[in-house]
Amino acid sequence: MVEQNNFVSALRHASGTAALAASGALAIGGALVGYGMLEAQKFGLRHETLKVLPRGYGDIKVLHLSDIHMVPGQEAKTQWLRSLADLRPDFVINTGDNLSHRKGVPALVKALEPLMAFPGAFVPGSNCYYAPKLKNPFKYLAPSTGTPSPASRDKLPFEEMHRAFGSAGWINMSNRAHSTVLNGLRLDLSGVDDPHLDLDHFAGWPRGSSSSNQAPHVRIALTHAPYQRVLDQFTEAQADVIFAGHTHGGQVCIPGYGALVSNCDLPTWRARGLTDWDYNGNTVPLNVSAGIGTSRFAPIRFACPPEAVLVTLAARG
């Protein structure tokens, strides 16, 4: 009888210990989620300088926006985006994934309205065309299984958004080349539609871009998702700088290590920031934004706060 009582007592003790451990794990998990939701609101501005302009030309300030993932009612994000107009950028580049809700266009336009007073260009991402879905986050850790196949019911009103951008003078660079003049310098732009949906087609550079008798120019490439095939094309074609988004910087990172995923075939150590992309003897600066928002189904960030990027293009030495 004594042995039986001791056995029952041991079971009760083990059960209590397990319950405490489970409660502790839940508490830690809840705290991490709470912190992640808080960090997702810690909007910041990263500054970079690139010496890519012809000698003798003044600086050009390019504001790089990406992955806004707008949802109605996101007032903190809206006010922060509006405040970026105080930077007085010379040019705005938007690399897609602007929406996370089918009713998000009015809120997005309100947020970007002061910035649309400046010249700009954009390319779409998958979450400009289709709404995000609730999914198991661990799927992002698995290798890519190919191009996503969103259903028509998930379609977002991207035409309305593109009309608003176009009315403000922003240039749609989806599979297109275009030249514009800024501060006496010719900007040669080339962009692709979203590679994550396999919609990309490199259109080359505008006519006359490589002719020495044309106005001095700088070649700027835009893509939403920085798949290697796209970066290789831009680099082989001798872009001066590439702008991309999509990765969210990994979104949930390990301090001291960095991103676990890039959601494409880009190496994870390149998932955020300014690096050099090398291909076929050419080297091009690649700026990957960690993005401003998240899917509304995963509104957390960890060790990877949201950002816009102010890139100052300066003259070569």
Side-chain angles (χ1 to χ4, degrees), residues 136-164:
N136 183 344
F138 290 103
K139 286 187 176 181
Y140 286 104
L141 298 176
S144 175
T145 55
T147 303
S149 300
S152 59
R153 66 177 179 273
D154 302 317
K155 186 178 177 181
L156 291 169
F158 69 92
E159 300 98 333
E160 178 186 352
M161 177 182 68
H162 286 184
R163 282 194 297 270

mmCIF file of all heavy atoms in Angstrom, residues 136-164:
data_model
loop_
_atom_site.group_PDB
_atom_site.id
_atom_site.type_symbol
_atom_site.label_atom_id
_atom_site.label_comp_id
_atom_site.label_asym_id
_atom_site.label_seq_id
_atom_site.Cartn_x
_atom_site.Cartn_y
_atom_site.Cartn_z
ATOM 1 N N ASN A 136 -0.179 27.734 -42.732
ATOM 2 C CA ASN A 136 0.756 27.286 -41.711
ATOM 3 C C ASN A 136 2.092 27.994 -41.926
ATOM 4 O O ASN A 136 2.721 27.833 -42.975
ATOM 5 C CB ASN A 136 0.938 25.769 -41.815
ATOM 6 C CG ASN A 136 1.843 25.213 -40.720
ATOM 7 O OD1 ASN A 136 2.569 25.948 -40.060
ATOM 8 N ND2 ASN A 136 1.810 23.911 -40.534
ATOM 9 N N PRO A 137 2.570 28.787 -40.952
ATOM 10 C CA PRO A 137 3.820 29.534 -41.161
ATOM 11 C C PRO A 137 5.028 28.643 -41.381
ATOM 12 O O PRO A 137 6.012 29.069 -41.977
ATOM 13 C CB PRO A 137 3.958 30.357 -39.875
ATOM 14 C CG PRO A 137 3.131 29.653 -38.856
ATOM 15 C CD PRO A 137 1.985 29.045 -39.619
ATOM 16 N N PHE A 138 4.968 27.373 -40.918
ATOM 17 C CA PHE A 138 6.100 26.470 -41.094
ATOM 18 C C PHE A 138 6.292 26.074 -42.557
ATOM 19 O O PHE A 138 7.354 25.591 -42.931
ATOM 20 C CB PHE A 138 5.934 25.227 -40.220
ATOM 21 C CG PHE A 138 6.089 25.515 -38.751
ATOM 22 C CD1 PHE A 138 4.984 25.608 -37.929
ATOM 23 C CD2 PHE A 138 7.344 25.720 -38.200
ATOM 24 C CE1 PHE A 138 5.122 25.885 -36.572
ATOM 25 C CE2 PHE A 138 7.495 25.996 -36.852
ATOM 26 C CZ PHE A 138 6.372 26.082 -36.036
ATOM 27 N N LYS A 139 5.261 26.321 -43.393
ATOM 28 C CA LYS A 139 5.408 26.017 -44.813
ATOM 29 C C LYS A 139 6.481 26.882 -45.465
ATOM 30 O O LYS A 139 7.064 26.497 -46.476
ATOM 31 C CB LYS A 139 4.068 26.200 -45.527
ATOM 32 C CG LYS A 139 3.053 25.095 -45.241
ATOM 33 C CD LYS A 139 1.814 25.252 -46.108
ATOM 34 C CE LYS A 139 0.848 24.088 -45.889
ATOM 35 N NZ LYS A 139 -0.358 24.218 -46.746
ATOM 36 N N TYR A 140 6.717 28.072 -44.879
ATOM 37 C CA TYR A 140 7.739 28.940 -45.446
ATOM 38 C C TYR A 140 9.142 28.357 -45.276
ATOM 39 O O TYR A 140 10.071 28.743 -45.979
ATOM 40 C CB TYR A 140 7.681 30.321 -44.787
ATOM 41 C CG TYR A 140 6.512 31.156 -45.237
ATOM 42 C CD1 TYR A 140 5.399 31.335 -44.422
ATOM 43 C CD2 TYR A 140 6.516 31.781 -46.474
ATOM 44 C CE1 TYR A 140 4.320 32.114 -44.828
ATOM 45 C CE2 TYR A 140 5.443 32.556 -46.900
ATOM 46 C CZ TYR A 140 4.353 32.714 -46.066
ATOM 47 O OH TYR A 140 3.300 33.481 -46.482
ATOM 48 N N LEU A 141 9.301 27.437 -44.320
ATOM 49 C CA LEU A 141 10.604 26.827 -44.083
ATOM 50 C C LEU A 141 10.906 25.716 -45.070
ATOM 51 O O LEU A 141 12.045 25.279 -45.193
ATOM 52 C CB LEU A 141 10.671 26.276 -42.654
ATOM 53 C CG LEU A 141 10.522 27.313 -41.541
ATOM 54 C CD1 LEU A 141 10.502 26.625 -40.185
ATOM 55 C CD2 LEU A 141 11.638 28.344 -41.598
ATOM 56 N N ALA A 142 9.880 25.247 -45.779
ATOM 57 C CA ALA A 142 10.065 24.178 -46.752
ATOM 58 C C ALA A 142 10.524 24.755 -48.080
ATOM 59 O O ALA A 142 10.266 25.919 -48.393
ATOM 60 C CB ALA A 142 8.753 23.411 -46.939
ATOM 61 N N PRO A 143 11.227 23.967 -48.898
ATOM 62 C CA PRO A 143 11.633 24.451 -50.214
ATOM 63 C C PRO A 143 10.423 24.842 -51.054
ATOM 64 O O PRO A 143 9.335 24.285 -50.914
ATOM 65 C CB PRO A 143 12.361 23.233 -50.824
ATOM 66 C CG PRO A 143 12.768 22.397 -49.651
ATOM 67 C CD PRO A 143 11.714 22.604 -48.618
ATOM 68 N N SER A 144 10.620 25.810 -51.946
ATOM 69 C CA SER A 144 9.536 26.273 -52.808
ATOM 70 C C SER A 144 9.030 25.133 -53.680
ATOM 71 O O SER A 144 9.810 24.342 -54.222
ATOM 72 C CB SER A 144 10.015 27.425 -53.686
ATOM 73 O OG SER A 144 9.020 27.804 -54.605
ATOM 74 N N THR A 145 7.715 25.061 -53.829
ATOM 75 C CA THR A 145 7.112 24.003 -54.638
ATOM 76 C C THR A 145 6.626 24.537 -55.982
ATOM 77 O O THR A 145 5.865 23.878 -56.675
ATOM 78 C CB THR A 145 5.936 23.361 -53.887
ATOM 79 O OG1 THR A 145 4.999 24.383 -53.508
ATOM 80 C CG2 THR A 145 6.426 22.647 -52.643
ATOM 81 N N GLY A 146 7.049 25.740 -56.363
ATOM 82 C CA GLY A 146 6.667 26.283 -57.654
ATOM 83 C C GLY A 146 5.827 27.537 -57.522
ATOM 84 O O GLY A 146 5.656 28.097 -56.446
ATOM 85 N N THR A 147 5.287 27.970 -58.646
ATOM 86 C CA THR A 147 4.520 29.201 -58.701
ATOM 87 C C THR A 147 3.192 29.051 -57.980
ATOM 88 O O THR A 147 2.473 28.084 -58.203
ATOM 89 C CB THR A 147 4.259 29.582 -60.168
ATOM 90 O OG1 THR A 147 5.510 29.687 -60.845
ATOM 91 C CG2 THR A 147 3.525 30.904 -60.264
ATOM 92 N N PRO A 148 2.828 29.996 -57.086
ATOM 93 C CA PRO A 148 1.517 29.937 -56.430
ATOM 94 C C PRO A 148 0.392 30.005 -57.462
ATOM 95 O O PRO A 148 0.543 30.591 -58.525
ATOM 96 C CB PRO A 148 1.523 31.180 -55.526
ATOM 97 C CG PRO A 148 2.953 31.563 -55.383
ATOM 98 C CD PRO A 148 3.627 31.149 -56.654
ATOM 99 N N SER A 149 -0.748 29.390 -57.114
ATOM 100 C CA SER A 149 -1.914 29.392 -58.009
ATOM 101 C C SER A 149 -3.116 29.938 -57.259
ATOM 102 O O SER A 149 -4.007 29.177 -56.849
ATOM 103 C CB SER A 149 -2.190 27.979 -58.524
ATOM 104 O OG SER A 149 -1.085 27.476 -59.237
ATOM 105 N N PRO A 150 -3.188 31.258 -57.060
ATOM 106 C CA PRO A 150 -4.322 31.836 -56.331
ATOM 107 C C PRO A 150 -5.607 31.707 -57.128
ATOM 108 O O PRO A 150 -5.602 31.700 -58.365
ATOM 109 C CB PRO A 150 -3.924 33.294 -56.146
ATOM 110 C CG PRO A 150 -2.932 33.561 -57.221
ATOM 111 C CD PRO A 150 -2.216 32.277 -57.468
ATOM 112 N N ALA A 151 -6.728 31.584 -56.415
ATOM 113 C CA ALA A 151 -8.034 31.474 -57.061
ATOM 114 C C ALA A 151 -8.560 32.850 -57.429
ATOM 115 O O ALA A 151 -8.176 33.865 -56.842
ATOM 116 C CB ALA A 151 -9.016 30.771 -56.121
ATOM 117 N N SER A 152 -9.462 32.899 -58.413
ATOM 118 C CA SER A 152 -10.007 34.174 -58.861
ATOM 119 C C SER A 152 -10.756 34.897 -57.747
ATOM 120 O O SER A 152 -10.843 36.118 -57.738
ATOM 121 C CB SER A 152 -10.930 33.948 -60.060
ATOM 122 O OG SER A 152 -11.999 33.075 -59.710
ATOM 123 N N ARG A 153 -11.292 34.124 -56.782
ATOM 124 C CA ARG A 153 -12.032 34.760 -55.688
ATOM 125 C C ARG A 153 -11.119 35.574 -54.782
ATOM 126 O O ARG A 153 -11.597 36.389 -53.986
ATOM 127 C CB ARG A 153 -12.752 33.688 -54.855
ATOM 128 C CG ARG A 153 -11.821 32.740 -54.111
ATOM 129 C CD ARG A 153 -12.598 31.745 -53.248
ATOM 130 N NE ARG A 153 -11.719 30.822 -52.563
ATOM 131 C CZ ARG A 153 -11.275 29.675 -53.087
ATOM 132 N NH1 ARG A 153 -11.663 29.334 -54.303
ATOM 133 N NH2 ARG A 153 -10.471 28.883 -52.415
ATOM 134 N N ASP A 154 -9.822 35.356 -54.881
ATOM 135 C CA ASP A 154 -8.863 36.082 -54.055
ATOM 136 C C ASP A 154 -8.391 37.376 -54.721
ATOM 137 O O ASP A 154 -7.537 38.071 -54.180
ATOM 138 C CB ASP A 154 -7.642 35.206 -53.758
ATOM 139 C CG ASP A 154 -8.016 33.911 -53.057
ATOM 140 O OD1 ASP A 154 -8.856 33.965 -52.149
ATOM 141 O OD2 ASP A 154 -7.475 32.856 -53.438
ATOM 142 N N LYS A 155 -8.919 37.700 -55.891
ATOM 143 C CA LYS A 155 -8.437 38.843 -56.656
ATOM 144 C C LYS A 155 -8.650 40.151 -55.899
ATOM 145 O O LYS A 155 -9.700 40.389 -55.310
ATOM 146 C CB LYS A 155 -9.149 38.901 -58.002
ATOM 147 C CG LYS A 155 -8.610 39.977 -58.940
ATOM 148 C CD LYS A 155 -9.332 39.939 -60.277
ATOM 149 C CE LYS A 155 -8.853 41.062 -61.181
ATOM 150 N NZ LYS A 155 -9.567 41.061 -62.486
ATOM 151 N N LEU A 156 -7.632 41.008 -55.948
ATOM 152 C CA LEU A 156 -7.686 42.324 -55.333
ATOM 153 C C LEU A 156 -7.920 43.386 -56.416
ATOM 154 O O LEU A 156 -7.591 43.169 -57.594
ATOM 155 C CB LEU A 156 -6.377 42.613 -54.600
ATOM 156 C CG LEU A 156 -6.113 41.779 -53.340
ATOM 157 C CD1 LEU A 156 -4.671 41.964 -52.876
ATOM 158 C CD2 LEU A 156 -7.078 42.151 -52.226
ATOM 159 N N PRO A 157 -8.447 44.555 -56.041
ATOM 160 C CA PRO A 157 -8.744 45.611 -57.020
ATOM 161 C C PRO A 157 -7.486 46.387 -57.423
ATOM 162 O O PRO A 157 -7.399 47.608 -57.249
ATOM 163 C CB PRO A 157 -9.751 46.489 -56.282
ATOM 164 C CG PRO A 157 -9.406 46.328 -54.847
ATOM 165 C CD PRO A 157 -8.942 44.900 -54.692
ATOM 166 N N PHE A 158 -6.531 45.671 -58.005
ATOM 167 C CA PHE A 158 -5.267 46.310 -58.347
ATOM 168 C C PHE A 158 -5.438 47.362 -59.446
ATOM 169 O O PHE A 158 -4.669 48.328 -59.510
ATOM 170 C CB PHE A 158 -4.233 45.269 -58.780
ATOM 171 C CG PHE A 158 -4.525 44.599 -60.094
ATOM 172 C CD1 PHE A 158 -4.018 45.112 -61.280
ATOM 173 C CD2 PHE A 158 -5.306 43.456 -60.153
ATOM 174 C CE1 PHE A 158 -4.280 44.495 -62.495
ATOM 175 C CE2 PHE A 158 -5.586 42.836 -61.355
ATOM 176 C CZ PHE A 158 -5.076 43.361 -62.536
ATOM 177 N N GLU A 159 -6.448 47.186 -60.320
ATOM 178 C CA GLU A 159 -6.658 48.184 -61.370
ATOM 179 C C GLU A 159 -6.952 49.556 -60.770
ATOM 180 O O GLU A 159 -6.461 50.585 -61.248
ATOM 181 C CB GLU A 159 -7.809 47.770 -62.287
ATOM 182 C CG GLU A 159 -7.602 46.442 -62.998
ATOM 183 C CD GLU A 159 -8.301 45.297 -62.289
ATOM 184 O OE1 GLU A 159 -8.502 45.396 -61.046
ATOM 185 O OE2 GLU A 159 -8.634 44.296 -62.959
ATOM 186 N N GLU A 160 -7.766 49.577 -59.708
ATOM 187 C CA GLU A 160 -8.085 50.832 -59.025
ATOM 188 C C GLU A 160 -6.821 51.466 -58.442
ATOM 189 O O GLU A 160 -6.612 52.678 -58.534
ATOM 190 C CB GLU A 160 -9.111 50.562 -57.924
ATOM 191 C CG GLU A 160 -9.498 51.775 -57.108
ATOM 192 C CD GLU A 160 -10.416 51.421 -55.940
ATOM 193 O OE1 GLU A 160 -10.872 50.256 -55.854
ATOM 194 O OE2 GLU A 160 -10.656 52.309 -55.103
ATOM 195 N N MET A 161 -5.979 50.640 -57.847
ATOM 196 C CA MET A 161 -4.730 51.127 -57.276
ATOM 197 C C MET A 161 -3.810 51.666 -58.368
ATOM 198 O O MET A 161 -3.233 52.754 -58.238
ATOM 199 C CB MET A 161 -4.036 49.994 -56.528
ATOM 200 C CG MET A 161 -2.680 50.341 -55.947
ATOM 201 S SD MET A 161 -1.922 48.920 -55.121
ATOM 202 C CE MET A 161 -1.597 47.840 -56.518
ATOM 203 N N HIS A 162 -3.688 50.936 -59.463
ATOM 204 C CA HIS A 162 -2.819 51.371 -60.550
ATOM 205 C C HIS A 162 -3.319 52.668 -61.192
ATOM 206 O O HIS A 162 -2.516 53.509 -61.605
ATOM 207 C CB HIS A 162 -2.695 50.268 -61.600
ATOM 208 C CG HIS A 162 -1.838 49.129 -61.149
ATOM 209 N ND1 HIS A 162 -1.518 48.059 -61.963
ATOM 210 C CD2 HIS A 162 -1.205 48.890 -59.967
ATOM 211 C CE1 HIS A 162 -0.747 47.211 -61.301
ATOM 212 N NE2 HIS A 162 -0.551 47.691 -60.086
ATOM 213 N N ARG A 163 -4.642 52.826 -61.274
ATOM 214 C CA ARG A 163 -5.183 54.084 -61.803
ATOM 215 C C ARG A 163 -4.804 55.262 -60.913
ATOM 216 O O ARG A 163 -4.453 56.350 -61.395
ATOM 217 C CB ARG A 163 -6.706 53.991 -61.951
ATOM 218 C CG ARG A 163 -7.175 53.226 -63.176
ATOM 219 C CD ARG A 163 -8.653 53.474 -63.442
ATOM 220 N NE ARG A 163 -9.504 53.003 -62.352
ATOM 221 C CZ ARG A 163 -10.017 51.776 -62.288
ATOM 222 N NH1 ARG A 163 -9.754 50.897 -63.251
ATOM 223 N NH2 ARG A 163 -10.793 51.424 -61.278
ATOM 224 N N ALA A 164 -4.874 55.045 -59.598
ATOM 225 C CA ALA A 164 -4.496 56.110 -58.658
ATOM 226 C C ALA A 164 -3.022 56.462 -58.800
ATOM 227 O O ALA A 164 -2.649 57.645 -58.825
ATOM 228 C CB ALA A 164 -4.819 55.683 -57.232
#
